[in-house]
Each structure stands twice: as structure tokens, then as C-alpha cells.
Amino acid sequence: MLNIENLHVSVGDKPILKGINLQVKPGEIHAIMGPNGSGKSTLSHVLSGKSGYTVTQGQVTYEGKDLTEMAPEIRAREGVFLAFQYPVEIPGVSNIYLLKAALNSIRKHQGLSEVDAMDFLTLIKEKVRLLEMDEKFLYRAVNEGFSGGEKKRNEILQMAVLEPKLCILDETDSGLDIDALKVVAEGVNSIRSPERSFVMITHYQRLLDYIKPDFVHVLAHGQIVKSGGPELALELEEKGYSWVENKQAA
Amino acid sequence: MSASAKEIEQLIGKEYKQGFVTELETDTFPPGLDEEVIHKLWKIKNEPEFMLEYRLKAFRHWQTMKSPEWAFVKFEPIDYQAVSYYSAPKRKEDGPKSLDEVDPQILEAYKKLGIPLDEQERLAGVAVDAVFDSVSVATTFKSKLKEAGVIFCPISEALREYPELVQQYLGSVVPTGDNYFAALNSAVFTDGSFVYIPKGVRCPMELSTYFRINAANTGQFERTLIIADEGSHVSYLEGCTAPMRDENQLHAAVVELIALENAEIKYSTVQNWYPGDKEGKGGIYNFVTKRADCRGDNSKVSWTQVETGSAITWKYPSCVLTGNNSIGEFYSVALTNNYQQADTGTKMIHIGKNTRSTIISKGISAGHAQNTYRGLVKVLKGAENARNYTQCDSLLVGDKCGAHTFPYVEVKQPSAQVEHEATTSKISEDQLFFCQQRGLSAEDAVSMIVNGFCKEVFKELPMEFAVEAQALLGLSLEGSVG
Ligand SMILES: Nc1ncnc2c1ncn2[C@@H]1O[C@H](COP(=O)(O)OP(=O)(O)OP(=O)(O)O)[C@@H](O)[C@H]1O
Ligand SMILES: [Mg+2]
């Protein structure tokens, strides 16, 4: 589904990603861990098409197509979803309005008709219940005045409604309390399918207790310095990042 | 990659869809303005005696005045001798008696603008007065309104049919010498709408005037007078467009509203005059004086405006709150793009006791445009317990535009409460990217964010016009992505 080969990315003249290799197959869950500033969010932004980054080497294909050539909204319509580390507020635009507009633009891209108002309401209420949110959030302006945890939960609500194929979660677990973490994890698990893949960026083993990854990668200084199974996360928790970073240097 | 600042600029490049010209035979005065022209105008319009005096007085006053320079707008001095003060489609003796007699070319032009004058096709519940250059060409649903006692006709017709009524109120809110453009208008106004709602009548339908400038090198000087007698109620909408021309054209209107005891007037404007091209060439100079007098106790006037057009907009729809407990409201969306300039706002003059006013202003600035809110809240000594709330928000799209806020407050009554809130925000690249990441094009994202920003004002517009205004904003922000 996603194939990243020797990806080098710079911001201005500053290289940030320095040769990333990663393959994600349908249905797989990949966890990416790594110290602050190692380039995790940068990777998620490059995959979703944020401006300001230059790919200097390597390539990224998504379902066989060159992802870097696609406009960000096309990537989204083709099923790439990013749950932001820092979700933005959009005053005046209600959550439900944004969700409907987003869903319809994706449906249109797929050659489907606009969603029927009643069907949409049924769908969205089901997802709201799944994430144990108050329906009132639907009518509030996107993320405006939401608490940190509420914003994260709102990202997952959008993901659940839009049903993307490749879900990139950038530190969705940061800022969630223990109960919220459980709810969000259940939300993610409920939309797991053999066709849907996840790339989860996290600092904490705890999330991986709820959502079991197939692979764990460690990103340091713009490179994946170690990959392994779920046990790698446990080892990291115990020994810290210096363990893998030093190993790389050695 | 997502929309960068540069792409945001391209996004808001707009196309003006009402820019066509209708080829017609016209009666047009040669350019120039003197007392003889005013005589000719008075004569051709077959007006009552008092109007000649009225016009000449205004003209003489105007000659002593200077074009105002305090507004935050820049333009070359206007050569008033190069403007023609009358242009009308050629017509039979008295003008069309019914729609069947209106030049089909004109009907076609209005149809193209989405304003079918054919009564059957027209939205049920809206009567339209269509003003083409200097004259009113048609008014729909006249007879139905007459049954309710409502007078809705071109002001030129009202001057002939109801001269006493017009004489009583004309200039009673905006005197002939009020300001430079109002004086000019009083001297040379050609047509516009007249509305009278009798005592206790709720006008059975929305009234609407559609102004169209067609001829080149002419000015449009229209005059609107609305009188809501005691306990009556009316909702009125004004729309405007003009062809795309390289020269600037002048539109200097005066609108006077009078609300007597317990009466209510809701006045909504969707202004979409030609704004000029991307380089700032051409476009309408929209220099307008709009004022309401809440003359009776418990009366109420609401101004709602959506201003997207014109090269320069200079307008301050105001309320003089004379009656006790009277209410004035001003809801405004002003969008400027490319090289457009807008200096707009309102004046709320509290005279009566317990008078209340609300001002909600939303300014959107894109491209190289300058958008200024200028507002005055004045509470006179006798206005015990007067209250005002002002909220003034600016939204910037891109980084070459400007937003300015000039709130003036004068309070002479200690029990008055005046509140003012102001914000300035910018559509950020992060907001745009977020929307794009959810599947929206950058264009749709800008339009969605702008519409969200304007929501509080749109909800004040009559339903069908709110839809039109939203579409118009979308259109005004339309362009190509990268
Ligand atoms: N626009 C930018 N200009 C300059 N430096 C940048 C820019 N964007 C990212 N960087 C730098 O790139 C590096 C990687 O940043 P990134 O946000 O990807 O880290 P991260 O791994 O997500 O960290 P965290 O765990 O704290 O979220 C950092 O050193 C950051 O300062
Ligand atoms: Mg990060």
C-alpha cells in the first residue's frame, strides 16, 4: 500500500529526513517511536502533502502511484488520513458541516452521489457514540475551545466518519487521560480491517497495549535506526532511546 | 503540496459574471453639469414645482462643498463635467405601462442576472422594482401590493402621483447639504424606489429593488425613500450590478428610511457592483449615504449589508434613534479583493430614552485590498439608559492586504452603556492544510472559512438572499489553484 524508499526531506537547506525506508502492507499496523525532534511529524506531513518540505531524494508510492506528485486534497480523497499532533481551530465552521463537506468531496472523487442528509445523521451519530462524545460537539466550531484531549478524540471521529485506507496518527495518545485513551483505542480497533493500514506515531508503550502493532520502528536523526515486533517497544521503554541511538553510532 | 501564501493569492482571484453590456438605443444627456442640466432633468421627469427648487438648492450648496478626504480610500479626483447625468432606454411617451411594453432586451438582461421580471417566474413573495441606468423600467406585483394599501413604485412616479407624501419626507433624514455626495445626489437623482406602508400594515411580501448600471460614462444617482407608518412592518432588499468597463463609474445614492411609532424596517443589501479588474482598473465608485430615522417610539430599523463589489465603497448606513425605546441594528459583511477599497461602517445616534443599538461588522480583506471599519456611536444627553454593543471582526486572506478599525464613541449621558469588541485574524496555512487533508480543495476551504466567519451576519438576511450571499462570497473568492 505504502512504499517509502530512501526518502530525504529538507526544510529550506536543513535536511530533516535522511533516507527513510518503510513498507506498509494492507491491514498492517506500524508504530513509529523516537526522540523529540527526530522527524516523526515531518514524515507524517510529507506523506499528507503539507507545503514547506522539499523531497531531495528517494520516492514514495501509495497504491502504486507517486504520492509526492498528488495535491494534498487528492491524497485525502484517495484515502490518506492524518490525525494531527496539533489539530487547528476553525472558528465559525461547525464540526458537522466540515465532516459533511469532507465526506462529500471524498464521495464525489469516488464517483458517488452526495450523502443523503438522514443517512449522514445516522452515520455520524453512530460514530459519536462509538467515541463516547457528546453530540453537542457536532454543532460546535471545529476544535474551538476544545480541550487537548477533546481535540484528539475529534480527530479520530473524523477518521471514523471518512473511513480512509491509510491512517496516520501523530501522537494521538498524547494528552489523553487513561479512560480517553481506551475509548480512542477502541475507536481505532473498531475500524481495523484487512484493507486498512495504520501508521501510529507515539512516545508511549501504553497505546500499544491497546492497539497491537505488527511492527515497531525507531526514528532517530531522520533515519529509521531499528525495526522490530511489539517487543521492541517494551525494550525501548526499559532502556530508553540512547540504547538504539548508540547502537547505530557503533 | 498545500496552498502556500502565494497560492492563497491566486485562490481569491475572482471572475465577475455580471459584466455584460446590453446594446440599447438610449436617451442620454451629453456630459456636463450646470443649472440648465438640472432644469432639463426636472422637465424630462415631469416633476412637481417644488422639486426644481429642491434640486437647485442642493446644486448650489454642492458647488460650495469639497469632496471629502477623511476616508481611508485613494482615488483620482472625479471630473464631474465628464459624466452624463441622465441615460435611459428610449421609450414611448410615458414609459411602459405594463411588463409587455418593456423592451425585451432589458427583460433579457435582468433574466441573465437571475432576476426574472415576469411575475409568474419570480419568487413568490418578492416584488421587484428594476432600475436600469437612470430610470425604473418595471415594478412587479404592484396591484397586489396596492390591495394591502402599500405603495411601491419608482420615486419619479411617486413624485407625480403622491407629491405631498414625498415632499413631506424627502430630505427629512438626509438634508440636501448633508455631505458632498448627498448634495450631488439631491441635485441630480434620476430614479429609485419609493415605499409607503400604511398604519398597522405588515407588508405582504418582500420588496426589492435591483439596480443595474449599463450605459458608459454615466453616473447612477438613485434615491430611495421608505416610510413605515405607525405599527407597520416591511422587509426590503437591494441588489446591484454593472458591466465590466475600464473606466471608473460613479454611483452616488441616497437612501432615507423613516420608521414611525412601533414600526419596523428591515433593509438588506447585496452589493455586487463591478469591482474592477485584477490590476485595479475600472470598477464602480460606490459613494452612498444611507440613513434611517427611528422617529417614533418603539420603532426599529435593521440594516444588513453584504458588500462584495465596487472599486471603492464609501458608505455608513446609520440610525438616528429619535424615539424612546427605539432600536437600531447594523450587520455588515464587506469583502474586498485585488485592489478594492472599502471604508464602511455605521453611525448610531442615540437621542431617545432606552434606545438600543447593535453593530456587528465582518470585514474580509484579500489580495492587495484595504478594508476599513469606521463607526460612530453617539449618545446625546437625553438618551437615558442608552445601550450599544459593537463587535468588529476582520479576517485577512494572504499578507498584502490591510484591515483598519476606527471606532468613535461620544457619550454625553452617564447612564449609557457602550461596549466594543474587536478582533483581527488571518486564514492560516495550517487551517487550509487541515481542510485539504480532509479532502476539501483550498478554494472550498477558504470559502468555508469565510462563510463561517460571516455566519452571524448571514443569519440576519432573508432566507433566499442568505443563500445568494453565500454563493456570491464563494464566487468572489473563486479562482484557480496553483
Ligand atoms: N519548518 C521548519 N523549519 C525549521 N525546522 C523545522 C521545521 N519543521 C521541522 N523542523 C525541525 O525538524 C526536526 C524534526 O521535527 P518533527 O516535528 O518532525 O519532530 P518530531 O519527531 O515529530 O518531534 P516530537 O516528538 O517532539 O513531536 C526538528 O528539529 C524541527 O525543529
Ligand atoms: Mg511530532
Side-chain angles (χ1 to χ4, degrees):
Chain A
M1 167 172 287
L2 178 71
N3 204 353
I4 305 176
E5 271 175 56
N6 189 32
L7 178 67
H8 289 251
V9 171
S10 298
V11 173
D13 317 325
K14 186 182 166 195
I16 294 174
L17 300 183
K18 303 163 187 166
I20 303 265
N21 290 290
L22 183 68
Q23 244 194 43
V24 180
K25 298 213 173 77
E28 289 179 351
I29 298 191
H30 291 247
I32 297 183
M33 305 182 82
N36 294 136
S38 56
K40 302 181 299 297
S41 292
T42 302
L43 178 63
S44 74
H45 289 153
V46 171
L47 292 178
S48 52
K50 190 173 178 170
S51 66
Y53 301 94
T54 325
V55 175
T56 52
Q57 260 191 75
Q59 55 185 29
V60 183
T61 54
Y62 169 72
E63 295 187 317
K65 283 172 271 188
D66 183 351
L67 195 63
T68 57
E69 288 290 297
M70 290 155 82
E73 64 269 30
I74 303 298
R75 302 183 200 199
R77 293 172 197 166
E78 293 272 332
V80 177
F81 182 94
L82 171 62
F84 287 83
Q85 182 174 2
Y86 304 109
V88 293
E89 304 188 355
I90 307 184
V93 177
S94 70
N95 240 338
I96 191 162
Y97 186 90
L98 171 80
L99 279 166
K100 196 167 174 198
L103 184 62
N104 279 330
S105 67
I106 291 168
R107 287 176 63 94
K108 196 171 159 205
H109 186 73
Q110 295 168 338
L112 299 170
S113 64
E114 290 207 348
V115 62
D116 168 83
M118 285 313 287
D119 293 349
F120 177 68
L121 224 59
T122 314
L123 168 84
I124 200 162
K125 286 191 172 168
E126 178 202 317
K127 304 294 186 186
V128 163
R129 233 174 291 125
L130 176 72
L131 291 159
E132 297 182 14
M133 287 170 79
D134 191 324
E135 271 183 31
K136 285 193 191 112
F137 279 98
L138 289 173
Y139 302 97
R140 280 173 61 177
V142 178
N143 293 330
E144 197 181 36
F146 286 29
S147 76
E150 286 164 351
K151 285 183 184 169
K152 295 302 182 69
R153 207 185 279 221
N154 201 29
E155 294 289 289
I156 301 305
L157 172 71
Q158 291 160 29
M159 185 175 87
V161 171
L162 301 179
E163 304 191 325
K165 287 188 245 178
L166 174 63
C167 308
I168 306 164
L169 277 58
D170 192 355
E171 293 198 29
T172 301
D173 53 334
S174 302
L176 290 179
D177 67 42
I178 305 163
D179 294 342
L181 179 68
K182 231 169 160 169
V183 171
V184 164
E186 275 163 24
V188 170
N189 283 325
S190 76
I191 66 162
R192 281 184 71 169
S193 86
E195 293 83 42
R196 187 167 291 134
S197 315
F198 292 84
V199 173
M200 297 193 307
I201 297 167
T202 180
H203 285 296
Y204 307 106
Q205 154 65 26
R206 208 176 49 214
L207 175 72
L208 309 180
D209 286 340
Y210 294 111
I211 310 169
K212 201 148 190 63
D214 300 297
F215 301 94
V216 175
H217 310 277
V218 180
L219 188 63
H221 313 303
Q223 285 182 318
I224 291 182
V225 293
K226 193 167 174 62
S227 298
E231 71 289 345
L232 178 58
L234 287 166
E235 228 173 324
L236 281 169
E237 184 112 312
E238 203 179 302
K239 300 181 180 166
Y241 289 121
S242 56
W243 165 61
V244 276
E245 282 180 282
N246 292 344
K247 222 167 149 186
Q248 170 75 4
Chain B
M1 296 284 132
S2 70
S4 60
K6 191 153 182 198
E7 284 165 320
I8 295 173
E9 277 167 37
Q10 287 165 339
L11 273 180
I12 43 180
K14 64 163 126 181
E15 248 179 77
Y16 189 74
K17 311 227 159 152
Q18 292 86 6
F20 61 88
V21 180
T22 307
E23 295 296 338
L24 286 172
E25 264 191 80
T26 57
D27 286 321
T28 302
F29 283 8
L33 182 58
D34 53 24
E35 295 203 1
E36 203 191 310
V37 169
I38 287 169
H39 259 274
K40 257 170 81 184
L41 205 64
W42 172 74
K43 202 148 179 219
I44 201 169
K45 303 213 66 98
N46 198 10
E47 290 176 343
E49 205 57 42
F50 80 89
M51 278 309 293
L52 181 62
E53 218 24 63
Y54 182 90
R55 288 178 182 282
L56 286 174
K57 189 176 144 211
F59 178 66
R60 286 167 194 155
H61 198 141
W62 178 73
Q63 285 179 306
T64 68
M65 298 170 95
K66 270 210 170 87
S67 188
E69 279 162 9
W70 46 264
F72 202 83
V73 296
K74 272 187 254 160
F75 59 95
E76 292 294 308
I78 298 167
D79 181 359
Y80 291 94
Q81 297 304 333
V83 174
S84 163
Y85 290 83
Y86 184 81
S87 174
K90 253 201 174 49
R91 53 181 186 174
K92 298 157 208 145
E93 278 300 276
D94 284 328
K97 293 272 186 302
S98 73
L99 282 171
D100 307 333
E101 291 176 35
V102 177
D103 188 327
Q105 294 245 57
I106 294 177
L107 289 181
E108 191 53 40
Y110 279 95
K111 210 166 184 167
K112 240 162 123 176
L113 295 166
I115 320 283
L117 295 177
D118 187 330
E119 293 190 3
Q120 267 75 33
E121 284 179 45
R122 189 61 203 158
L123 291 165
V126 184
V128 181
D129 184 22
V131 178
F132 200 84
D133 291 331
S134 302
V135 293
S136 169
V137 290
T139 310
T140 64
F141 291 109
K142 244 170 156 172
S143 53
K144 179 153 184 219
L145 288 165
K146 212 160 192 173
E147 279 169 36
V150 171
I151 303 172
F152 178 41
C153 67
I155 198 159
S156 51
E157 186 181 317
L159 276 165
R160 293 191 294 268
E161 310 264 323
Y162 317 97
E164 297 83 22
L165 197 55
V166 180
Q167 188 171 15
Q168 187 186 345
Y169 290 101
L170 186 75
S172 72
V173 188
V174 180
T176 48
D178 187 80
N179 67 68
Y180 189 77
F181 298 111
L184 179 62
N185 174 287
S186 300
V188 302
F189 78 80
T190 42
D191 222 334
S193 298
F194 176 79
V195 176
Y196 173 76
I197 316 289
K199 274 183 195 169
V201 170
R202 240 192 125 79
C203 188
M205 53 178 69
E206 304 263 356
L207 303 182
S208 140
T209 299
Y210 196 91
F211 294 101
R212 173 77 177 163
I213 296 181
N214 186 60
N217 300 320
T218 58
Q220 192 177 48
F221 304 94
E222 100 256 351
R223 186 91 187 190
T224 297
L225 178 58
I226 299 178
I227 304 144
D229 212 329
E230 291 170 20
S232 69
H233 181 286
V234 63
S235 170
Y236 178 92
L237 183 109
E238 166 200 296
C240 1
T241 57
M244 291 153 84
R245 295 186 192 282
D246 287 347
E247 306 80 34
N248 295 105
Q249 277 182 285
L250 180 61
H251 174 257
V254 171
V255 176
E256 294 178 283
L257 313 183
I258 295 120
L260 299 181
E261 206 173 308
N262 296 316
E264 185 176 338
I265 302 173
K266 194 172 166 53
Y267 192 105
S268 316
T269 306
V270 175
Q271 185 262 110
N272 186 27
W273 294 119
Y274 176 53
D277 69 9
K278 290 198 170 66
E279 274 73 52
K281 198 164 181 205
I284 301 291
Y285 290 160
N286 190 32
F287 299 152
V288 170
T289 306
K290 290 183 166 175
R291 197 174 303 153
D293 188 2
C294 289
R295 210 163 278 181
D297 289 353
N298 312 311
S299 57
K300 178 178 175 184
V301 169
S302 302
W303 297 102
T304 307
Q305 60 172 21
V306 176
E307 305 277 318
T308 63
S310 297
I312 301 178
T313 296
W314 181 97
K315 99 182 235 210
Y316 315 89
S318 305
C319 295
V320 182
L321 302 169
T322 314
N324 293 329
N325 313 313
S326 61
I327 298 174
E329 295 173 336
F330 175 74
Y331 301 101
S332 169
V333 166
L335 183 147
T336 48
N337 192 6
N338 298 322
Y339 286 89
Q340 278 178 276
Q341 309 173 62
D343 192 308
T344 181
T346 184
K347 285 188 264 182
M348 294 289 175
I349 315 293
H350 293 256
I351 298 171
K353 293 185 179 113
N354 304 313
T355 44
R356 276 180 291 152
S357 62
T358 304
I359 300 170
I360 309 278
S361 162
K362 304 279 182 177
I364 301 134
S365 210
H368 293 81
Q370 296 296 332
N371 203 322
T372 300
Y373 168 82
R374 190 184 300 278
L376 169 67
V377 177
K378 192 168 181 173
V379 180
L380 300 191
K381 205 154 183 172
E384 284 165 30
N385 297 314
R387 287 213 311 265
N388 162 266
Y389 173 73
T390 300
Q391 184 191 328
C392 193
D393 300 320
S394 309
L395 183 69
L396 301 174
V397 187
D399 47 17
K400 295 201 178 64
C401 51
H404 317 272
T405 306
F406 300 108
Y408 304 94
V409 178
E410 287 173 37
V411 179
K412 302 221 164 67
Q413 163 54 245
S415 64
Q417 286 178 38
V418 177
E419 279 178 80
H420 180 90
E421 286 177 29
T423 66
T424 300
S425 51
K426 215 181 138 175
I427 298 187
S428 70
E429 287 185 30
D430 283 347
Q431 285 174 325
L432 276 186
F433 176 61
F434 172 80
C435 295
Q436 286 176 288
Q437 214 308 300
R438 295 299 176 257
L440 301 176
S441 66
E443 229 165 72
D444 289 347
V446 169
S447 161
M448 182 177 79
I449 294 169
V450 168
N451 271 306
F453 176 74
C454 301
K455 208 152 65 180
E456 282 162 282
V457 173
F458 285 166
K459 76 176 200 301
E460 297 298 328
L461 285 172
M463 186 56 193
E464 60 266 40
F465 302 130
V467 174
E468 187 183 320
Q470 279 195 27
L472 190 59
L473 270 202
L475 193 72
S476 299
L477 291 160
E478 197 171 85
S480 56
V481 193

